[in-house]
Amino acid sequence: MCNLRSFFTPLLAVLLLQSLVVVVSAQGSATTWQTLTGNRPLVIARGGFSGLFPDSSSVAFQFAMLTSLPDVVLWCDVQLTKDGVGICASDLRLDNSTSIAQDMKNKDKLYLVNGIPTRGWFTVDFTLNELSLVSLTQGIYSRSERFDYSYPIQTVEDVANLKPPGLWLNIQHDAFFTQHNLSMRSYVLSLYRRVVINHLSSPEAGFLRSIVKRFNLNITKLVFRFLEPNVIEPSTNETYGSLSKNFTFIKTFASGILIPKSYIWPLDASNYLQPHTSIVSDAHKAGLEVFVSEFYNDVPLSYNYSYDPVTEYLRFVDNGEFSVDGVLSDFPVTPSATIACFHGLGKNDTPQVNLSVISKNGASGDYPGCTDLAYKKAILDGADVIDCPVQISKDGIPFCLGSINLYESTTVAQSIYSNREQNIPQIKAGSGIFTFSLTWSEIQNLTPVITNPYSKYELLRNPKFKNSGNFLTLSDFLALAKNTSSLSGVLISIENAAYLIQEEGLPVTDKVLDVLSKAGYDDPTSKKVMIESTNSSVLMKFRDKNNYELVYQIEEDIQDAEDAALKDIKDFANSVVISKISVFPESSLFLTGVTNVVPKLQSHGLSVYVETFSNEFVSQAWDFFSDSTVEINSYVMGANISGVVTGFPLTSARYKRNRCLGYNVLPPYMSPAQPGELLQLILPFALPPAEPPNPVLAPSDVVERPLPSHTASPPVPGGGATAVPPGAPNGLPKIGACIFLSNLAMLITILLLL
């Protein structure tokens, strides 16, 4: 085992050197940093890559070095054992981050910690030898437990022996160890003679003042760590909020400060950003560097960030007024990419990849879908194509709405139209109030509702504007798009056409053709028109429009497609939309591999778009590190897709302009996930169960009978309140299939851990 690790250490150095060359060129192309020194901010990996692996495990530290900037700093929370050995552990108590409660039952103790009675398994009660029987676990329960019980506790020397570019030691509880006859001061001074310590932080001013004269401050920077503003610092008996206004005093024993995010960007009670404070500029004026803590990709962010961690980091390092000097993160890959690839990026910068960004009901991650606000936000965010899922009102007006069932996107259930509920199994199981039951003027009176697909995780979208905006007719939508020079086209999706024609007498396809023609979209010089449907019969209706791109949506997940089915699709479509799962299969949110669906479709001359990309971290596989940019990059660079369908166009539009995509060699923080490699880091007993294979797309899933002819229908009875009895199926078969998505992992990491 040791020989293997020794063998691969030089290879690790080569990889890190390679990333250094790439990143240095990126730094040179960026504008000047507004940090204290003018250098780019540091990325500090808290406990290594602790967002995925157990905090302070060997794999977490090594993975952080592999996936981050080449000058990444490894953070170790130092605790002392009973025999005075320094270990890296996130807390004085080990029961939340190790197996100690199971391994050493009934050995928990009750101690005062900062004056508060606290029970647990404390490091001061066990020798290093005793702790060698204990293994690390993930301390945050929303993160994967698959890597638990696989890695031992690391000493500070173990981490130093990895030869990290930078080592940061945090001493959180010096006073506690003193009470237990252990001297953290003596330990640190002894360690300093053997190990290069680049940064040393503590929230105890007295501790830093006691050691400041014993360190070469050109080698080791002392950093005063701020706790919450109302907490009292014990040696000064002042609150941290009060000390944040006395940088002259702090400068006497520290060269920098480490503060929570809220000291810079406070949040109001509704979780929206307030104006930034002056603390960064004040500290810089006093000659203090400013480092910021509490960056987690998988903890709900301010609504201003739309669940996009890159957007949050940019707010701290690239806001035009100041830049912090470093960020403390559980997911160091994200600030690494932000700093190297996205800093100084403008909306007019040249795209580095050919990728179509197609909205999903507009920017429906930020505003109620298909409203004027959602479409304007999608345009502002840089979408190439905005979409209109066409529905039709009782009086035959085509308009944009994400669902034919008004329950899903409006407050119709609380309106005067609630008595128009129907049950139409041909459309969808369960009851609904459908768009064709209300006139357009009635629909205009409804209040939009933002979709919250992850509300069960308490992840809500922009609640302040959850009912904002106005719905648009198809004609208004096309006019908006036509007058927007930044858009390359529009996507019109049509569903339930056979039912609408046959049962409601509403020829939706004819209506769409008529509106497109009147809006001037038949002109070959106009914007691109994409017609999308899950029904081949709908696309056949538009086949004579040579300047239209016909997009076939494969609604279900598939693992493969028969050549005959693809030939059939090519007869009526130019491109295909597939699910993320149809590209990357998964098991328990771990990527298990990659299908051949994309290359097969492309070999038949079909462009491939993938949906739906969301910023919420729960929508992503573990392999994507709770980072929507990592996910998008893995589909684009790893699967070579043609476009993404997303309710958060900003993330994808910014991604395709990032400078790192223009390098001959992608840096590690902009490399696509390698499906299946994270699974290889999981011990056999913890592997997720294998998923059954998904279906293969067959010709019978694709071929449909033509749409029924439209004949005049009797008028709908006033009010439209009568229930529609169950009718015969419309004969438009759907498809079945397989696979889910996830990503990222490095085979070299696996080898390093052998």
Side-chain angles (χ1 to χ4, degrees):
M1 181 181 296
C2 293
N3 289 339
L4 280 173
R5 178 176 293 180
S6 300
F7 176 79
F8 285 107
T9 298
L11 183 54
L12 172 61
V14 170
L15 289 174
L16 293 175
L17 181 60
Q18 182 186 64
S19 67
L20 175 61
V21 173
V22 174
V23 173
V24 167
S25 65
Q27 185 181 2
S29 66
T31 56
T32 303
W33 290 96
Q34 294 178 292
T35 56
L36 179 64
T37 63
N39 297 326
R40 71 176 178 217
L42 283 177
V43 173
I44 308 148
R46 192 189 72 83
F49 208 121
S50 55
L52 179 63
F53 302 103
D55 190 306
S56 301
S57 60
S58 58
V59 65
F61 286 125
Q62 294 182 72
F63 206 76
M65 289 195 292
L66 273 173
T67 57
S68 308
L69 284 167
D71 58 352
V72 65
V73 177
L74 299 186
W75 165 287
C76 167
D77 281 296
V78 182
Q79 316 297 342
L80 293 179
T81 64
K82 186 176 183 179
D83 47 348
V85 179
I87 61 172
C88 296
S90 57
D91 190 63
L92 288 166
R93 295 172 296 167
L94 295 173
D95 35 307
N96 192 46
S97 59
T98 74
S99 60
I100 196 167
Q102 293 86 5
D103 297 332
M104 301 184 182
K105 295 179 180 179
N106 303 320
K107 291 191 176 182
D108 54 321
K109 297 287 183 64
L110 180 67
Y111 293 127
L112 287 178
V113 179
N114 296 331
I116 300 173
T118 306
R119 179 171 290 280
W121 281 258
F122 290 82
T123 63
V124 295
D125 293 321
F126 305 95
T127 65
L128 180 63
N129 187 55
E130 289 175 310
L131 292 179
S132 67
L133 304 174
V134 171
S135 55
L136 295 169
T137 60
Q138 178 56 257
I140 297 177
Y141 298 130
S142 61
R143 296 173 178 173
S144 176
E145 78 288 356
R146 300 285 177 181
F147 303 103
D148 290 359
Y149 312 112
S150 303
Y151 304 99
I153 291 173
Q154 299 290 290
T155 66
V156 177
E157 285 87 347
D158 288 334
V159 180
N161 288 338
L162 295 174
K163 301 290 190 288
L167 179 62
W168 186 309
L169 303 185
N170 180 59
I171 312 300
Q172 196 75 5
H173 296 287
D174 171 63
F176 176 83
F177 291 111
T178 300
Q179 294 167 9
H180 291 266
N181 299 317
L182 292 167
S183 174
M184 184 63 79
R185 180 177 184 275
S186 297
Y187 169 76
V188 168
L189 292 175
S190 173
L191 181 72
Y192 177 60
R193 292 191 285 270
R194 310 188 305 274
V195 170
V196 176
I197 304 171
N198 303 95
H199 294 80
L200 183 65
S201 61
S202 177
E204 299 181 12
F207 173 73
L208 294 176
R209 295 174 73 185
S210 75
I211 63 172
V212 63
K213 294 182 179 179
R214 302 293 299 273
F215 280 84
N216 181 342
L217 301 182
N218 293 320
I219 297 175
T220 304
K221 295 182 178 181
L222 301 187
V223 179
F224 181 55
R225 185 176 191 181
F226 280 75
L227 303 182
E228 292 303 315
N230 60 341
V231 174
I232 294 176
E233 195 283 320
S235 65
T236 61
N237 204 33
E238 292 187 52
T239 65
Y240 287 95
S242 174
L243 289 171
S244 70
K245 298 174 176 58
N246 191 358
F247 289 144
T248 301
F249 167 66
I250 293 172
K251 182 64 177 173
T252 62
F253 59 87
S255 61
I257 58 173
L258 174 63
I259 55 178
K261 293 184 298 186
S262 58
Y263 272 72
I264 301 174
W265 290 99
L267 299 177
D268 64 18
S270 300
N271 208 32
Y272 286 90
L273 289 177
Q274 296 180 302
H276 68 76
T277 68
S278 63
I279 191 168
V280 176
S281 58
D282 293 344
H284 282 174
K285 287 176 185 176
L288 291 167
E289 291 185 296
V290 180
F291 304 96
V292 187
S293 63
E294 300 181 357
F295 284 97
Y296 319 102
N297 290 4
D298 57 352
V299 171
L301 312 175
S302 165
Y303 294 119
N304 300 77
Y305 302 131
S306 299
Y307 294 102
D308 179 11
V310 172
T311 297
E312 180 182 38
Y313 282 111
L314 287 171
R315 180 82 66 159
F316 286 85
V317 303
D318 190 22
N319 57 48
E321 297 184 45
F322 61 83
S323 173
V324 301
D325 301 274
V327 291
L328 178 62
S329 175
D330 287 20
F331 296 85
V333 65
T334 303
S336 294
T338 302
I339 290 166
C341 308
F342 295 103
H343 170 255
L345 208 61
K347 287 189 175 181
N348 296 322
D349 285 6
T350 304
Q352 301 296 316
V353 292
N354 185 17
L355 178 72
S356 294
V357 178
I358 305 169
S359 72
K360 180 73 172 181
N361 303 334
S364 55
D366 293 304
Y367 293 101
C370 298
T371 60
D372 55 343
L373 294 180
Y375 287 127
K376 290 174 182 177
K377 181 67 162 58
I379 292 168
L380 180 66
D381 287 348
D384 300 303
V385 176
I386 56 174
D387 70 307
C388 173
V390 172
Q391 312 301 337
I392 197 159
S393 63
K394 185 168 72 172
D395 49 348
I397 304 298
F399 65 98
C400 305
L401 196 65
S403 172
I404 195 171
N405 187 348
L406 292 168
Y407 278 156
E408 297 180 15
S409 49
T410 74
T411 57
V412 69
Q414 289 79 47
S415 73
I416 60 174
Y417 312 116
S418 60
N419 63 337
R420 301 190 191 179
E421 182 177 275
Q422 301 178 73
N423 193 318
I424 307 177
Q426 299 99 311
I427 294 178
K428 191 173 184 180
S431 59
I433 299 177
F434 298 95
T435 58
F436 49 79
S437 297
L438 278 71
T439 65
W440 171 238
S441 61
E442 290 173 329
I443 289 170
Q444 285 181 293
N445 291 328
L446 298 177
T447 300
V449 174
I450 199 168
T451 57
N452 285 299
Y454 306 105
S455 57
K456 70 177 182 179
Y457 303 103
E458 299 185 5
L459 300 179
L460 303 180
R461 293 177 170 179
N462 201 7
K464 188 182 290 186
F465 296 92
K466 65 182 180 180
N467 299 121
S468 300
N470 300 298
F471 296 124
L472 300 180
T473 64
L474 176 59
S475 179
D476 291 336
F477 168 83
L478 292 173
L480 172 65
K482 195 170 187 178
N483 294 325
T484 304
S485 59
S486 62
L487 291 174
S488 62
V490 294
L491 182 146
I492 312 297
S493 60
I494 303 172
E495 299 299 330
N496 305 298
Y499 176 86
L500 290 169
I501 294 170
Q502 190 167 320
E503 303 295 335
E504 301 296 331
L506 295 170
V508 61
T509 51
D510 292 342
K511 293 280 188 180
V512 169
L513 282 166
D514 181 57
V515 174
L516 281 167
S517 178
K518 289 178 179 177
Y521 279 79
D522 283 345
D523 185 345
T525 63
S526 184
K527 294 186 185 298
K528 177 173 70 174
V529 175
M530 305 168 72
I531 304 295
E532 178 191 48
S533 182
T534 59
N535 300 127
S536 60
S537 56
V538 169
L539 299 181
M540 293 289 285
K541 186 82 173 178
F542 292 83
R543 196 163 55 169
D544 293 338
K545 297 291 184 180
N546 295 328
N547 57 322
Y548 289 5
E549 179 180 345
L550 305 184
V551 185
Y552 182 54
Q553 182 185 0
I554 301 176
E555 193 172 18
E556 285 78 28
D557 306 324
I558 60 171
Q559 65 162 321
D560 202 349
E562 295 180 15
D563 285 336
L566 299 181
K567 289 177 182 177
D568 288 337
I569 293 174
K570 186 60 180 174
D571 284 341
F572 59 81
N574 311 106
S575 52
V576 174
V577 173
I578 59 176
S579 68
K580 295 190 297 184
I581 299 173
S582 296
V583 181
F584 294 122
E586 64 86 31
S587 178
S588 299
L589 292 179
F590 284 95
L591 298 187
T592 59
V594 58
T595 70
N596 66 348
V597 171
V598 173
K600 249 191 171 180
L601 289 166
Q602 291 172 338
S603 71
H604 284 74
L606 295 162
S607 299
V608 181
Y609 308 116
V610 175
E611 71 171 12
T612 302
F613 288 86
S614 299
N615 283 357
E616 290 95 342
F617 57 89
V618 294
S619 71
Q620 301 147 16
W622 300 116
D623 306 66
F624 301 134
F625 308 143
S626 302
D627 184 341
S628 49
T629 298
V630 173
E631 181 182 43
I632 295 164
N633 182 57
S634 297
Y635 279 87
V636 176
M637 303 306 291
N640 195 33
I641 65 173
S642 303
V644 296
V645 180
T646 175
F648 297 90
L650 173 63
T651 306
S652 299
R654 182 185 59 211
Y655 158 76
K656 71 177 187 177
R657 298 192 310 272
N658 89 75
R659 64 179 63 88
C660 294
L661 294 176
Y663 300 151
N664 292 329
V665 178
L666 289 175
Y669 39 80
M670 195 50 66
S671 297
Q674 302 302 309
E677 291 190 354
L678 275 188
L679 285 174
Q680 297 182 52
L681 291 174
I682 302 175
L683 293 180
F685 74 87
L687 283 170
E691 298 289 336
N694 291 323
V696 175
L697 186 68
S700 59
D701 300 316
V702 174
V703 177
E704 300 173 344
R705 65 177 182 234
L707 288 176
S709 300
H710 171 242
T711 56
S713 303
V716 178
T722 53
V724 175
N730 62 11
L732 301 181
K734 303 290 182 183
I735 18 188
C738 90
I739 309 179
F740 179 77
L741 115 76
S742 303
N743 75 23
L744 217 87
M746 302 264 173
L747 181 57
I748 184 60
T749 306
I750 301 164
L751 297 172
L752 284 166
L753 296 171
L754 294 175

